[in-house]
Amino acid sequence: MAEQTTGARPTLEAVAARAGVSRATASRVVNGGAGVRAPLVDKVRQAVEELGYVPNLAARTLVTRRNGAVAVVIAEPEFRIFSDPFFQEQVRGISRELTSHDSQLVLLWVESPGDHDRIARYLGGGHVDGALAFSLHDEDELAAVLRRAKIPTVLGGRPTDGIGPDMPYVDCDNRGGAREAVRLLVDRGCRAVAHLAGPRDQTSAVDRADGWREALGDPDPALLGHGDFTAESGARAMAGLLDRRPDVDGVFAANDLMASGALRVLRERGLRVPEDVAVVGFDDVASIAERTDPPLTTVRQDIEGMGRLMVRLLMHLLHEHGSGAPAPDPLITPTTLVRRASA
Amino acid sequence: MAEQTTGARPTLEAVAARAGVSRATASRVVNGGAGVRAPLVDKVRQAVEELGYVPNLAARTLVTRRNGAVAVVIAEPEFRIFSDPFFQEQVRGISRELTSHDSQLVLLWVESPGDHDRIARYLGGGHVDGALAFSLHDEDELAAVLRRAKIPTVLGGRPTDGIGPDMPYVDCDNRGGAREAVRLLVDRGCRAVAHLAGPRDQTSAVDRADGWREALGDPDPALLGHGDFTAESGARAMAGLLDRRPDVDGVFAANDLMASGALRVLRERGLRVPEDVAVVGFDDVASIAERTDPPLTTVRQDIEGMGRLMVRLLMHLLHEHGSGAPAPDPLITPTTLVRRASA
DNA sequence: GCCCGCTCTGAGAGCGCTCTCTGAACTCGG
DNA sequence: CCGAGTTCAGAGAGCGCTCTCAGAGCGGGC
């Protein structure tokens, strides 16, 4: 019956009693100690130490209405997303930035559609101050969940139109980067600049294709190949392209993986890169772009930076909450062209 | 100044008022509705629906002292652990089991040593009911953090002795599996059964080596090669082994990756598998064991099952909390030998 | 018809914390 | 030496919920 054995954690009350002050003063010290005289601060600190006091977050959250945690919601049913270097870097950026805001990263991931309820409850229940989610699709129920939870949310990657325009997001300048890539090819003298596009249901792919179209004015539709961001699809699209337009002398691929597939096909067909055909990729994923033959000229996006930006945007949302300030504009990070040998 | 725009979420009080019942009754309904007559249940349910009521978890946690969330703590400073299929499967098991216990998985990961404080605060603050962590090492400060947080914890993989014997863990029967592997080799007539061991500071590697030693009685130390769980190290260890004991005719590798390295070296040396040298691995990671040449005979462990077990053990801990029941024994899952062509 | 006992509901006391508001103590100018 | 101003500590009221406890209502046994 020894009460002491059970882990009855000390409360602020106990700390205050031991330090000989009121609960209010103890609270002040625990939360920074502003406005409390030094000797009292020391006494309270010591009591905290001796008792091994740790604030009860639930109690604190109940009154402050914030809890220093942000959810990162992964919609991908496949865990494989974790092996994606893109995702890894972005999460790293998020994690670092959150740390500097003294917030905790809580990774939630939706494995099956049935998880939506649970996630919604978690999000809506006030376990976290806000949420970050990645590239939502039209049919994605997660968007609805996030919206229903009425929780401040920032998206990574421009959502499709079906999601609605009101969700703030961070994305890189896909269109501008694409334009720059195309311009490089044009400037080096390419006459027939093709594009190997990514999946039509991903805004990043669509925006890049738009950039290509913009930079070229009104390009021959035959110069457009389609793939799905895989190397294999890039190879296939490249092969089709060469059949349709053998005169192609510049290729802008929607990502590095597709570019690597294209390079392979070009090599097989005996075409020299960049002499006969110049190639530019997108993403600048080190493990790909630096290892192709020849090394890939590509459009780099600051992935970690985008992660950090997502957090900053969210923090902004959280703090503006009181004022009636309008939702901030989507944040678009610039891209830079990384010139290697392929163009 | 319109108050209504801010998301002042409805409270139980509001639900009760709308349903014309007391807060207590509303609470009962929200929590299952046991002991409330049907008409009232319906009225409350409807009020919940109309108001879009979602319970405030902080308030609930404050009084119930549980919050339906379990932390999975990743010590690995490198994010790369996420690409490890072993880890992926284990987390999948954990996730599924937690779902069936109506608990939320919160993934915390320690990127830099400085994160320990933050993690400790999070864990200690009562954000989660318990924690799961993976194979801790002696020098791992995480063990200390977990212990200081006084939070029920279950480990994946037997911890090193330095961690202390009081932390419950789930592991597969490394030793038994190893014995079985060796026995298979002996039974098929191998006279000189070698072992390619993994890193000495990982208990799984140590236990497997012990199993090899046990099954063989007192094997020639020259039959023991060392590696670090990579294919490369397996190749190196195999090469050294062949130099020391050219008569080796059976090899038990500490994991599939090392076995694949060993197979490569054997092929290079013109030795046939399994005719000249039989090889057995450990883990049965599909992406490796099924694709070696010849396909690898190996010891399978039920990784997802281990994840589930970790959760069950933790739940047990949480519920036994009141009673003075002793910590349950470590849970060891059995292994099974998967016979393919290499032995 | 009365009382006992059962089921169901409501009142109210916290859970541990923050934060406002009041008042005490102290400083300093006149 | 007194009053105004300033700093700092404490009292107390919640935050939204759960849960105990008591009482209301009702049926059945004698």
Side-chain angles (χ1 to χ4, degrees), chain A residues 148-166:
Chain A
R148 248 181 291 136
K150 286 187 195 149
I151 194 174
T153 303
V154 172
L155 303 181
R158 183 168 77 82
T160 54
D161 294 334
I163 304 294
D166 54 335

Side-chain angles (χ1 to χ4, degrees), chain B residues 28 55 60 68 90 97 109 114-115 127 149 156 165 172 200 202 205 230 234 251 253 258 261 263 285 297 315 327 343:
Chain B
R28 275 188 275 261
R60 175 179 289 176
Q90 198 147 19
E97 188 69 24
W109 112 86
D115 288 359
H127 265 311
C172 79
R200 278 174 251 256
Q202 288 192 228
T230 63
V251 171
M258 288 183 70
L263 286 177
V285 171
T297 292
M315 291 297 160

Side-chain angles (χ1 to χ4, degrees), chain A residues 101-169:
Chain A
H101 284 270
D102 233 347
S103 266
Q104 177 57 52
L105 166 72
V106 175
L107 203 48
L108 303 179
W109 112 89
V110 188
E111 218 195 356
S112 66
D115 288 358
H116 279 137
D117 270 8
R118 197 168 36 83
I119 298 280
R121 243 177 309 151
Y122 188 83
L123 256 25
H127 265 312
V128 291
D129 298 324
L132 303 174
F134 296 96
S135 42
L136 301 180
H137 298 273
D138 273 350
E139 73 283 6
D140 210 324
E141 217 212 315
L142 193 61
V145 168
L146 252 14
R147 183 161 286 136
R148 248 181 291 136
K150 286 187 195 149
I151 194 174
T153 303
V154 172
L155 303 181
R158 183 168 77 82
T160 54
D161 294 334
I163 304 294
D166 54 335
M167 278 215 176
Y169 66 88

Side-chain angles (χ1 to χ4, degrees), chain A residues 28-300:
Chain A
R28 275 189 275 260
V29 171
V30 168
N31 290 295
V36 180
R37 259 174 316 191
L40 279 197
V41 169
D42 287 348
K43 265 203 275 189
V44 173
R45 289 253 159 85
Q46 196 183 336
V48 165
E49 192 68 30
E50 290 169 2
L51 260 35
Y53 169 76
V54 180
N56 179 320
L57 258 16
R60 176 179 290 176
T61 297
L62 184 56
V63 32
T64 60
R65 277 135 201 304
R66 48 170 321 248
N67 40 31
V70 167
V72 169
V73 188
I74 309 297
E76 214 62 31
E78 293 301 311
F79 205 67
R80 118 180 83 73
I81 190 171
F82 286 117
S83 355
D84 185 348
F86 187 92
F87 174 77
Q88 288 187 19
E89 257 191 76
Q90 198 148 16
V91 171
R92 178 170 310 129
I94 288 171
S95 166
R96 298 215 169 122
E97 188 68 24
L98 278 178
T99 301
S100 81
H101 284 270
D102 233 347
S103 266
Q104 177 57 52
L105 166 72
V106 175
L107 203 48
L108 303 179
W109 112 89
V110 188
E111 218 195 356
S112 66
D115 288 358
H116 279 137
D117 270 8
R118 197 168 36 83
I119 298 280
R121 243 177 309 151
Y122 188 83
L123 256 25
H127 265 312
V128 291
D129 298 324
L132 303 174
F134 296 96
S135 42
L136 301 180
H137 298 273
D138 273 350
E139 73 283 6
D140 210 324
E141 217 212 315
L142 193 61
V145 168
L146 252 14
R147 183 161 286 136
R148 248 181 291 136
K150 286 187 195 149
I151 194 174
T153 303
V154 172
L155 303 181
R158 183 168 77 82
T160 54
D161 294 334
I163 304 294
D166 54 335
M167 278 215 176
Y169 66 88
V170 171
D171 204 346
C172 79
D173 185 8
N174 284 305
R175 193 181 292 229
R179 274 198 306 258
E180 206 179 348
V182 171
R183 224 173 292 131
L184 172 75
L185 292 169
V186 171
D187 285 353
R188 84 189 311 278
C190 296
R191 302 307 198 83
V193 176
H195 177 48
L196 307 180
R200 278 173 249 256
D201 63 342
Q202 288 191 224
T203 55
S204 59
V206 172
D207 291 353
R208 288 168 200 181
D210 284 351
W212 166 76
R213 216 169 277 118
E214 268 174 43
L216 249 31
D218 189 22
D220 176 6
L223 283 170
L224 184 61
H226 280 288
D228 60 5
F229 277 155
T230 63
E232 199 40 58
S233 75
R236 234 176 301 123
M238 187 71 232
L241 193 63
L242 286 170
D243 294 345
R244 288 198 304 278
R245 288 283 304 250
D247 63 324
V248 61
D249 57 358
V251 172
F252 165 51
N255 74 346
D256 289 349
L257 227 37
M258 288 183 70
S260 73
L263 287 178
R264 203 184 70 223
V265 168
L266 289 169
R267 198 178 324 119
E268 285 167 11
R269 303 256 180 134
L271 291 162
R272 293 166 306 159
V273 177
E275 292 81 359
D276 300 325
V277 182
V279 177
V280 180
F282 206 111
D283 282 354
D284 195 31
V285 171
S287 55
I288 303 166
E290 290 174 358
R291 297 190 192 164
T292 55
D293 175 27
L296 195 62
T297 291
T298 187
V299 180
R300 150 177 280 159

Side-chain angles (χ1 to χ4, degrees), chain B residues 224-244:
Chain B
L224 184 61
H226 280 287
D228 60 6
F229 277 157
T230 63
E232 200 38 57
S233 75
R236 236 176 299 123
M238 188 70 231
L241 193 63
L242 286 171
D243 294 344
R244 289 198 303 278

